[in-house]
Amino acid sequence: CVTAQESIPIGVTFNSDGSKMYIVGYTNDTVYQYTLGTAWDVSTANFSVTKTITTNGKALASAITFNGVGGAWQLQDALATTGLGLTLTNGTFDPNVKTVSMTGAGTAAVSGAFSFYNFTRTGTAVTTDGLTFSANVTVTNTLTLTGNSATNKIFVKSSSAGAQRIITAAAVSLSDVKFRDIDADGAVIPWTGTRLIDYGNNLDITFSAIVYK
């Protein structure tokens, strides 16, 4: 519905192939672009706007929510956060061949069907660091999961116990990680790494042998 952007639309036009629609109106001095799922069919219109994010090398200390309202968020440089939360509620996330990294003590949460380029979660010197996924996620380049040590591993799991999350990655770098409810996918399955521990309901991950003393 175009009234979410313009309450009194008065003009409409399309691009040459009918894949884009443009609206103007009385309320705002703005031209709004919509992407049509089916060419020329206005009932399939989706508001499309790309918002850019630049952090200038600063790590963000709070959780981040991307609400594109049908548009896209595009990174202009690497995104680092210690806030332990990334949420995608509307639109799409465009990593733009940039790295997203999450650090800090505690459980980091990725909520929404993100597609990352490089994604990194690095643990600290505590035993309670983790990473949860609420939906299936894709990493088109490298997924890096690094616990602090053999003692202080990070716990990577689904946000809902028993509900597997499919994590697709083109490449992985894994060390000192515990997994639960993770279905590994991508070009490098089965995933391999150093000191990987199976906490149940995982697929296509090669785990380290447990040595009992």
Side-chain angles (χ1 to χ4, degrees):
C1 180
V2 301
T3 55
Q5 290 76 47
E6 173 55 64
S7 60
I8 310 176
I10 60 171
V12 58
T13 189
F14 299 85
N15 69 347
S16 60
D17 63 6
S19 63
K20 304 291 184 184
M21 178 177 73
Y22 304 91
I23 292 288
V24 295
Y26 278 118
T27 309
N28 300 306
D29 186 21
T30 304
V31 177
Y32 294 99
Q33 174 181 287
Y34 300 80
T35 298
L36 302 183
T38 301
W40 308 108
D41 184 352
V42 298
S43 68
T44 64
N46 182 40
F47 179 53
S48 57
V49 60
T50 298
K51 304 173 182 68
T52 59
I53 303 170
T54 303
T55 62
N56 292 318
K58 304 291 185 181
L60 305 181
S62 60
I64 304 168
T65 297
F66 299 98
N67 187 339
V69 194
W73 291 93
Q74 185 183 75
L75 296 184
Q76 301 302 293
D77 55 8
L79 175 65
T81 176
T82 60
L84 300 181
L86 289 174
T87 301
L88 179 64
T89 58
N90 282 295
T92 58
F93 176 80
D94 178 6
N96 195 27
V97 201
K98 304 296 189 297
T99 296
V100 174
S101 58
M102 303 182 78
T103 58
T107 298
V110 175
S111 302
F114 279 91
S115 179
F116 299 104
Y117 178 66
N118 291 323
F119 179 84
T120 298
R121 170 69 171 120
T122 304
T124 63
V126 299
T127 60
T128 54
D129 286 347
L131 173 64
T132 64
F133 294 98
S134 73
N136 300 335
V137 165
T138 299
V139 181
T140 60
N141 196 47
T142 303
L143 170 66
T144 302
L145 303 173
T146 307
N148 177 263
S149 66
T151 301
N152 300 315
K153 295 181 175 67
I154 57 174
F155 194 3
V156 178
K157 58 186 178 179
S158 166
S159 61
S160 179
Q164 277 189 339
R165 306 303 185 205
I166 301 172
I167 311 301
T168 303
V172 295
S173 176
L174 311 171
S175 62
D176 297 313
V177 187
K178 300 178 290 186
F179 290 95
R180 188 183 72 197
D181 298 324
I182 298 298
D183 180 356
D185 203 355
V188 292
I189 58 171
W191 292 356
T192 60
T194 303
R195 293 184 293 272
L196 307 183
I197 305 300
D198 183 8
Y199 270 62
N201 197 29
N202 299 293
L203 286 175
D204 289 319
I205 303 173
T206 301
F207 293 103
S208 306
I210 298 176
V211 178
Y212 296 94
K213 295 183 179 180

